[in-house]
Amino acid sequence: QSVLTQPPSVSAAPGQKVTISCSGSSTNIGKNYVSWYQHVPGTVPKLLIYDNNKRPSGIPDRFSGSKSGRSATLGIAGLQTGDEADYYCGTWESSLSVVVFGGGTKLTVL
Amino acid sequence: QVQLRQSGPGLVKPSQTLSLTCGISGDSVSSNSAVWNWIRQSPSRGLEWLGRTYYRSKWSGNYAVSVKSRIIINPDTSKNQFSLQLDSVTPEDTAVYFCARGDQYFDYWGQGTLVTVSS
């Protein structure tokens, strides 16, 4: 069971927007930055969002991140079939001095 | 451009030690700003952070609670690389292992190594 809670799966049609939630506690999301990763099995995970809402160079602005209190959200607009992947949130767990990830959310673009 | 290159065996027998190395180019394992991590991924557990090493006037590290009793992550400054050693492996340790650079987020990753624990 992961420290951060994500929905196991989400789905939407091409062109639509989807959001993926990540719920934590006061000792992780509540006091630290959140990052988001896209992982297609068999490939290397890709950093999508860091410091809650910043995008690395090369990540399109269709991807957005936000944080409020003990939860964070990843938004993906203008869905494409190529967005099908597993998405993970991550942050620092201050009570244990470790990095924690959510359990992952499988995105299906119908 | 930072590149991380992993090496090590893909098959380990139960109860033995898993050993992987991550070679760094474009950065230094001794950097005062970088942090070097090992992360694994499996279908059953998703992404799992294992631990990290970093240099801030002295070498320090942190390890995940789940593996703390049997993991060592060591820097090798002479080769500009760092390594993962995981003792007493079981089939539960079967996963794709990645090295990655980053403190609270991971911007550069190794290519991944599928490690299967089987006799």
Side-chain angles (χ1 to χ4, degrees):
Chain A
Q1 191 166 351
S2 303
V3 172
L4 305 180
T5 301
Q6 299 180 232
S9 63
V10 296
S11 62
Q16 297 295 305
K17 178 175 181 177
V18 70
T19 59
I20 297 173
S21 60
C22 176
S23 178
S25 71
S26 60
T27 57
N28 44 61
I29 292 179
K31 63 189 331 182
N32 295 297
Y33 286 120
V34 176
S35 55
W36 289 91
Y37 304 86
Q38 178 191 63
H39 186 227
V40 176
T43 70
V44 177
K46 179 190 293 186
L47 176 66
L48 292 177
I49 298 289
Y50 68 98
D51 291 355
N52 302 332
N53 54 19
K54 297 182 173 66
R55 282 178 288 106
S57 173
I59 301 300
D61 59 7
R62 301 190 297 110
F63 295 90
S64 61
S66 64
K67 184 184 112 169
S68 178
R70 304 176 184 186
S71 293
T73 301
L74 172 70
I76 310 173
L79 278 171
Q80 303 172 0
T81 55
D83 295 331
E84 286 201 335
D86 297 317
Y87 291 83
Y88 294 88
C89 57
T91 191
W92 184 252
E93 171 58 66
S94 296
S95 67
L96 297 172
S97 295
V98 299
V99 171
V100 290
F101 288 109
T105 299
K106 183 176 180 60
L107 168 64
T108 301
V109 181
L110 303 168
Chain B
Q1 177 77 351
V2 176
Q3 291 189 331
L4 304 179
R5 192 72 181 168
Q6 299 175 218
S7 59
L11 180 63
V12 183
K13 289 182 167 49
S15 80
Q16 294 192 343
T17 297
L18 181 161
S19 296
L20 296 174
T21 299
C22 182
I24 303 164
S25 59
D27 201 342
S28 171
V29 71
S30 304
S31 164
N32 268 294
S33 59
V35 180
W36 306 100
N37 303 264
W38 285 99
I39 297 164
R40 66 183 179 185
Q41 193 278 333
S42 64
S44 60
R45 300 163 78 138
L47 282 180
E48 181 182 12
W49 179 83
L50 298 176
R52 67 183 195 170
T53 187
Y54 57 95
Y55 185 77
R56 302 287 185 270
S57 303
K58 67 173 184 176
W59 288 103
S60 298
N62 305 93
Y63 296 127
V65 172
S66 61
V67 295
K68 195 168 188 175
S69 64
R70 56 190 184 100
I71 188 174
I72 297 175
I73 295 176
N74 273 334
D76 182 345
T77 57
S78 66
K79 296 181 179 179
N80 200 31
Q81 64 186 28
F82 63 107
S83 62
L84 166 69
Q85 180 179 306
L86 187 65
D87 296 329
S88 306
V89 297
T90 72
E92 294 274 297
D93 294 310
T94 294
V96 179
Y97 287 74
F98 296 96
C99 57
R101 186 188 80 165
D103 188 352
Q104 293 196 27
Y105 62 88
F106 310 107
D107 52 1
Y108 291 97
W109 296 67
Q111 80 274 22
T113 302
L114 172 60
V115 179
T116 302
V117 179
S118 174
S119 55

PDB file of all heavy atoms in Angstrom, chain A residues 6 13 17-18 29 35 42 50 57 61 64 66 68 70 73-74 77-78 81-82 85 87 91 94 99 105 107:
ATOM      1  N   GLN A   6      -3.445   7.301  -5.313  1.00  0.00           N
ATOM      2  CA  GLN A   6      -3.901   7.680  -6.649  1.00  0.00           C
ATOM      3  C   GLN A   6      -5.010   6.737  -7.076  1.00  0.00           C
ATOM      4  O   GLN A   6      -5.026   5.568  -6.673  1.00  0.00           O
ATOM      5  CB  GLN A   6      -2.760   7.566  -7.676  1.00  0.00           C
ATOM      6  CG  GLN A   6      -1.561   8.429  -7.451  1.00  0.00           C
ATOM      7  CD  GLN A   6      -0.516   8.224  -8.541  1.00  0.00           C
ATOM      8  OE1 GLN A   6       0.656   7.971  -8.262  1.00  0.00           O
ATOM      9  NE2 GLN A   6      -0.923   8.344  -9.796  1.00  0.00           N
ATOM     10  N   ALA A  13     -11.818  10.310 -23.742  1.00  0.00           N
ATOM     11  CA  ALA A  13     -11.740  10.243 -25.196  1.00  0.00           C
ATOM     12  C   ALA A  13     -10.650  11.179 -25.718  1.00  0.00           C
ATOM     13  O   ALA A  13     -10.268  12.140 -25.039  1.00  0.00           O
ATOM     14  CB  ALA A  13     -13.092  10.636 -25.799  1.00  0.00           C
ATOM     15  N   LYS A  17     -10.080  16.350 -21.628  1.00  0.00           N
ATOM     16  CA  LYS A  17      -9.137  16.602 -20.551  1.00  0.00           C
ATOM     17  C   LYS A  17      -9.391  15.610 -19.424  1.00  0.00           C
ATOM     18  O   LYS A  17     -10.530  15.240 -19.147  1.00  0.00           O
ATOM     19  CB  LYS A  17      -9.265  18.026 -20.003  1.00  0.00           C
ATOM     20  CG  LYS A  17      -8.317  18.299 -18.831  1.00  0.00           C
ATOM     21  CD  LYS A  17      -8.346  19.737 -18.364  1.00  0.00           C
ATOM     22  CE  LYS A  17      -7.361  19.964 -17.206  1.00  0.00           C
ATOM     23  NZ  LYS A  17      -7.305  21.361 -16.754  1.00  0.00           N
ATOM     24  N   VAL A  18      -8.306  15.187 -18.755  1.00  0.00           N
ATOM     25  CA  VAL A  18      -8.430  14.280 -17.627  1.00  0.00           C
ATOM     26  C   VAL A  18      -7.580  14.827 -16.482  1.00  0.00           C
ATOM     27  O   VAL A  18      -6.579  15.515 -16.715  1.00  0.00           O
ATOM     28  CB  VAL A  18      -7.977  12.852 -18.017  1.00  0.00           C
ATOM     29  CG1 VAL A  18      -6.475  12.793 -18.237  1.00  0.00           C
ATOM     30  CG2 VAL A  18      -8.402  11.829 -16.988  1.00  0.00           C
ATOM     31  N   ILE A  29       3.072  15.500   1.092  1.00  0.00           N
ATOM     32  CA  ILE A  29       2.589  16.539   0.174  1.00  0.00           C
ATOM     33  C   ILE A  29       2.374  17.857   0.916  1.00  0.00           C
ATOM     34  O   ILE A  29       2.628  18.940   0.385  1.00  0.00           O
ATOM     35  CB  ILE A  29       1.303  16.082  -0.539  1.00  0.00           C
ATOM     36  CG1 ILE A  29       1.619  14.935  -1.504  1.00  0.00           C
ATOM     37  CG2 ILE A  29       0.650  17.254  -1.285  1.00  0.00           C
ATOM     38  CD1 ILE A  29       0.403  14.388  -2.247  1.00  0.00           C
ATOM     39  N   SER A  35       6.119  15.949  -7.664  1.00  0.00           N
ATOM     40  CA  SER A  35       6.511  15.755  -9.060  1.00  0.00           C
ATOM     41  C   SER A  35       5.628  14.674  -9.667  1.00  0.00           C
ATOM     42  O   SER A  35       5.019  13.865  -8.950  1.00  0.00           O
ATOM     43  CB  SER A  35       7.994  15.365  -9.162  1.00  0.00           C
ATOM     44  OG  SER A  35       8.283  14.224  -8.371  1.00  0.00           O
ATOM     45  N   GLY A  42       8.313  -0.734 -20.278  1.00  0.00           N
ATOM     46  CA  GLY A  42       9.364  -1.051 -21.233  1.00  0.00           C
ATOM     47  C   GLY A  42      10.214   0.138 -21.611  1.00  0.00           C
ATOM     48  O   GLY A  42      11.196  -0.006 -22.339  1.00  0.00           O
ATOM     49  N   TYR A  50       7.516  19.147 -12.045  1.00  0.00           N
ATOM     50  CA  TYR A  50       8.298  19.191 -10.812  1.00  0.00           C
ATOM     51  C   TYR A  50       7.943  20.446 -10.026  1.00  0.00           C
ATOM     52  O   TYR A  50       7.342  21.372 -10.577  1.00  0.00           O
ATOM     53  CB  TYR A  50       9.804  19.118 -11.101  1.00  0.00           C
ATOM     54  CG  TYR A  50      10.375  20.327 -11.809  1.00  0.00           C
ATOM     55  CD1 TYR A  50      11.025  21.335 -11.113  1.00  0.00           C
ATOM     56  CD2 TYR A  50      10.260  20.454 -13.192  1.00  0.00           C
ATOM     57  CE1 TYR A  50      11.545  22.433 -11.751  1.00  0.00           C
ATOM     58  CE2 TYR A  50      10.769  21.554 -13.854  1.00  0.00           C
ATOM     59  CZ  TYR A  50      11.415  22.540 -13.140  1.00  0.00           C
ATOM     60  OH  TYR A  50      11.925  23.639 -13.782  1.00  0.00           O
ATOM     61  N   SER A  57      11.810  21.424 -19.792  1.00  0.00           N
ATOM     62  CA  SER A  57      11.891  21.774 -21.199  1.00  0.00           C
ATOM     63  C   SER A  57      11.455  20.590 -22.058  1.00  0.00           C
ATOM     64  O   SER A  57      11.846  19.447 -21.797  1.00  0.00           O
ATOM     65  CB  SER A  57      13.341  22.146 -21.539  1.00  0.00           C
ATOM     66  OG  SER A  57      13.520  22.333 -22.912  1.00  0.00           O
ATOM     67  N   ASP A  61       2.536  22.160 -22.896  1.00  0.00           N
ATOM     68  CA  ASP A  61       1.701  22.797 -21.877  1.00  0.00           C
ATOM     69  C   ASP A  61       0.332  22.133 -21.747  1.00  0.00           C
ATOM     70  O   ASP A  61      -0.515  22.596 -20.970  1.00  0.00           O
ATOM     71  CB  ASP A  61       1.561  24.301 -22.140  1.00  0.00           C
ATOM     72  CG  ASP A  61       0.942  24.605 -23.488  1.00  0.00           C
ATOM     73  OD1 ASP A  61       0.491  23.660 -24.179  1.00  0.00           O
ATOM     74  OD2 ASP A  61       0.920  25.787 -23.879  1.00  0.00           O
ATOM     75  N   SER A  64      -0.288  19.847 -16.903  1.00  0.00           N
ATOM     76  CA  SER A  64      -0.250  20.867 -15.861  1.00  0.00           C
ATOM     77  C   SER A  64      -0.314  20.196 -14.496  1.00  0.00           C
ATOM     78  O   SER A  64      -0.818  19.077 -14.352  1.00  0.00           O
ATOM     79  CB  SER A  64      -1.419  21.838 -16.018  1.00  0.00           C
ATOM     80  OG  SER A  64      -2.657  21.142 -15.896  1.00  0.00           O
ATOM     81  N   SER A  66      -0.889  20.979 -10.091  1.00  0.00           N
ATOM     82  CA  SER A  66      -1.285  21.889  -9.025  1.00  0.00           C
ATOM     83  C   SER A  66      -1.233  21.154  -7.696  1.00  0.00           C
ATOM     84  O   SER A  66      -1.226  19.921  -7.639  1.00  0.00           O
ATOM     85  CB  SER A  66      -2.697  22.449  -9.277  1.00  0.00           C
ATOM     86  OG  SER A  66      -3.648  21.396  -9.247  1.00  0.00           O
ATOM     87  N   SER A  68      -2.776  21.576  -3.507  1.00  0.00           N
ATOM     88  CA  SER A  68      -3.557  22.289  -2.508  1.00  0.00           C
ATOM     89  C   SER A  68      -3.554  21.470  -1.232  1.00  0.00           C
ATOM     90  O   SER A  68      -4.071  20.347  -1.216  1.00  0.00           O
ATOM     91  CB  SER A  68      -4.990  22.514  -3.000  1.00  0.00           C
ATOM     92  OG  SER A  68      -5.750  23.163  -1.999  1.00  0.00           O
ATOM     93  N   ARG A  70      -2.891  18.900   1.220  1.00  0.00           N
ATOM     94  CA  ARG A  70      -2.276  17.567   1.240  1.00  0.00           C
ATOM     95  C   ARG A  70      -2.541  16.777  -0.028  1.00  0.00           C
ATOM     96  O   ARG A  70      -2.330  15.559  -0.070  1.00  0.00           O
ATOM     97  CB  ARG A  70      -2.799  16.776   2.444  1.00  0.00           C
ATOM     98  CG  ARG A  70      -2.568  17.479   3.769  1.00  0.00           C
ATOM     99  CD  ARG A  70      -3.185  16.727   4.922  1.00  0.00           C
ATOM    100  NE  ARG A  70      -3.041  17.470   6.178  1.00  0.00           N
ATOM    101  CZ  ARG A  70      -3.387  17.004   7.364  1.00  0.00           C
ATOM    102  NH1 ARG A  70      -3.902  15.764   7.470  1.00  0.00           N
ATOM    103  NH2 ARG A  70      -3.226  17.726   8.441  1.00  0.00           N
ATOM    104  N   THR A  73      -2.683  17.462  -8.088  1.00  0.00           N
ATOM    105  CA  THR A  73      -3.439  17.026  -9.259  1.00  0.00           C
ATOM    106  C   THR A  73      -2.611  17.226 -10.511  1.00  0.00           C
ATOM    107  O   THR A  73      -1.964  18.261 -10.686  1.00  0.00           O
ATOM    108  CB  THR A  73      -4.757  17.819  -9.389  1.00  0.00           C
ATOM    109  OG1 THR A  73      -5.538  17.635  -8.210  1.00  0.00           O
ATOM    110  CG2 THR A  73      -5.552  17.347 -10.594  1.00  0.00           C
ATOM    111  N   LEU A  74      -2.646  16.211 -11.369  1.00  0.00           N
ATOM    112  CA  LEU A  74      -2.060  16.312 -12.702  1.00  0.00           C
ATOM    113  C   LEU A  74      -3.197  16.460 -13.692  1.00  0.00           C
ATOM    114  O   LEU A  74      -4.156  15.700 -13.650  1.00  0.00           O
ATOM    115  CB  LEU A  74      -1.251  15.058 -13.023  1.00  0.00           C
ATOM    116  CG  LEU A  74      -0.728  14.949 -14.457  1.00  0.00           C
ATOM    117  CD1 LEU A  74       0.376  15.967 -14.711  1.00  0.00           C
ATOM    118  CD2 LEU A  74      -0.223  13.527 -14.738  1.00  0.00           C
ATOM    119  N   ALA A  77      -4.591  17.888 -20.928  1.00  0.00           N
ATOM    120  CA  ALA A  77      -5.613  18.396 -21.842  1.00  0.00           C
ATOM    121  C   ALA A  77      -5.330  17.910 -23.255  1.00  0.00           C
ATOM    122  O   ALA A  77      -4.223  17.484 -23.573  1.00  0.00           O
ATOM    123  CB  ALA A  77      -5.615  19.924 -21.804  1.00  0.00           C
ATOM    124  N   GLY A  78      -6.341  17.984 -24.102  1.00  0.00           N
ATOM    125  CA  GLY A  78      -6.170  17.583 -25.488  1.00  0.00           C
ATOM    126  C   GLY A  78      -5.594  16.181 -25.622  1.00  0.00           C
ATOM    127  O   GLY A  78      -4.607  15.969 -26.327  1.00  0.00           O
ATOM    128  N   THR A  81      -3.776   9.544 -28.181  1.00  0.00           N
ATOM    129  CA  THR A  81      -3.590   8.122 -27.923  1.00  0.00           C
ATOM    130  C   THR A  81      -2.185   7.856 -27.375  1.00  0.00           C
ATOM    131  O   THR A  81      -1.977   6.925 -26.597  1.00  0.00           O
ATOM    132  CB  THR A  81      -3.823   7.302 -29.184  1.00  0.00           C
ATOM    133  OG1 THR A  81      -2.974   7.795 -30.224  1.00  0.00           O
ATOM    134  CG2 THR A  81      -5.285   7.402 -29.638  1.00  0.00           C
ATOM    135  N   GLY A  82      -1.229   8.679 -27.745  1.00  0.00           N
ATOM    136  CA  GLY A  82       0.135   8.530 -27.251  1.00  0.00           C
ATOM    137  C   GLY A  82       0.299   8.859 -25.788  1.00  0.00           C
ATOM    138  O   GLY A  82       1.370   8.623 -25.209  1.00  0.00           O
ATOM    139  N   ALA A  85      -0.510   5.633 -20.732  1.00  0.00           N
ATOM    140  CA  ALA A  85       0.663   5.307 -19.925  1.00  0.00           C
ATOM    141  C   ALA A  85       0.230   5.189 -18.469  1.00  0.00           C
ATOM    142  O   ALA A  85      -0.941   5.424 -18.136  1.00  0.00           O
ATOM    143  CB  ALA A  85       1.735   6.387 -20.061  1.00  0.00           C
ATOM    144  N   TYR A  87       0.841   6.870 -14.775  1.00  0.00           N
ATOM    145  CA  TYR A  87       1.272   8.159 -14.235  1.00  0.00           C
ATOM    146  C   TYR A  87       1.463   8.045 -12.726  1.00  0.00           C
ATOM    147  O   TYR A  87       0.605   7.493 -12.022  1.00  0.00           O
ATOM    148  CB  TYR A  87       0.243   9.243 -14.568  1.00  0.00           C
ATOM    149  CG  TYR A  87       0.210   9.552 -16.047  1.00  0.00           C
ATOM    150  CD1 TYR A  87      -0.542   8.760 -16.920  1.00  0.00           C
ATOM    151  CD2 TYR A  87       0.949  10.611 -16.584  1.00  0.00           C
ATOM    152  CE1 TYR A  87      -0.537   9.011 -18.283  1.00  0.00           C
ATOM    153  CE2 TYR A  87       0.946  10.880 -17.943  1.00  0.00           C
ATOM    154  CZ  TYR A  87       0.210  10.073 -18.788  1.00  0.00           C
ATOM    155  OH  TYR A  87       0.210  10.323 -20.140  1.00  0.00           O
ATOM    156  N   THR A  91       6.916  12.555  -3.941  1.00  0.00           N
ATOM    157  CA  THR A  91       7.305  13.655  -3.066  1.00  0.00           C
ATOM    158  C   THR A  91       8.228  13.145  -1.965  1.00  0.00           C
ATOM    159  O   THR A  91       8.520  11.947  -1.904  1.00  0.00           O
ATOM    160  CB  THR A  91       6.060  14.329  -2.443  1.00  0.00           C
ATOM    161  OG1 THR A  91       6.440  15.543  -1.797  1.00  0.00           O
ATOM    162  CG2 THR A  91       5.396  13.412  -1.417  1.00  0.00           C
ATOM    163  N   SER A  94       8.835  13.671   4.944  1.00  0.00           N
ATOM    164  CA  SER A  94       9.717  14.298   5.926  1.00  0.00           C
ATOM    165  C   SER A  94       9.862  13.485   7.216  1.00  0.00           C
ATOM    166  O   SER A  94      10.895  13.531   7.878  1.00  0.00           O
ATOM    167  CB  SER A  94       9.186  15.695   6.279  1.00  0.00           C
ATOM    168  OG  SER A  94       9.223  16.536   5.149  1.00  0.00           O
ATOM    169  N   VAL A  99      11.946   9.240  -0.200  1.00  0.00           N
ATOM    170  CA  VAL A  99      11.072   9.624  -1.297  1.00  0.00           C
ATOM    171  C   VAL A  99       9.924   8.621  -1.352  1.00  0.00           C
ATOM    172  O   VAL A  99      10.131   7.409  -1.151  1.00  0.00           O
ATOM    173  CB  VAL A  99      11.833   9.604  -2.645  1.00  0.00           C
ATOM    174  CG1 VAL A  99      10.868   9.786  -3.813  1.00  0.00           C
ATOM    175  CG2 VAL A  99      12.913  10.677  -2.661  1.00  0.00           C
ATOM    176  N   THR A 105      -1.410   5.510 -11.748  1.00  0.00           N
ATOM    177  CA  THR A 105      -2.721   5.573 -12.381  1.00  0.00           C
ATOM    178  C   THR A 105      -2.568   5.234 -13.848  1.00  0.00           C
ATOM    179  O   THR A 105      -1.762   5.863 -14.545  1.00  0.00           O
ATOM    180  CB  THR A 105      -3.334   6.972 -12.249  1.00  0.00           C
ATOM    181  OG1 THR A 105      -3.506   7.285 -10.865  1.00  0.00           O
ATOM    182  CG2 THR A 105      -4.670   7.047 -12.974  1.00  0.00           C
ATOM    183  N   LEU A 107      -3.754   5.450 -17.467  1.00  0.00           N
ATOM    184  CA  LEU A 107      -4.601   6.285 -18.316  1.00  0.00           C
ATOM    185  C   LEU A 107      -4.912   5.548 -19.608  1.00  0.00           C
ATOM    186  O   LEU A 107      -4.005   5.113 -20.323  1.00  0.00           O
ATOM    187  CB  LEU A 107      -3.906   7.605 -18.635  1.00  0.00           C
ATOM    188  CG  LEU A 107      -4.559   8.458 -19.741  1.00  0.00           C
ATOM    189  CD1 LEU A 107      -5.957   8.916 -19.322  1.00  0.00           C
ATOM    190  CD2 LEU A 107      -3.686   9.660 -20.088  1.00  0.00           C
TER     191      LEU A 107
END
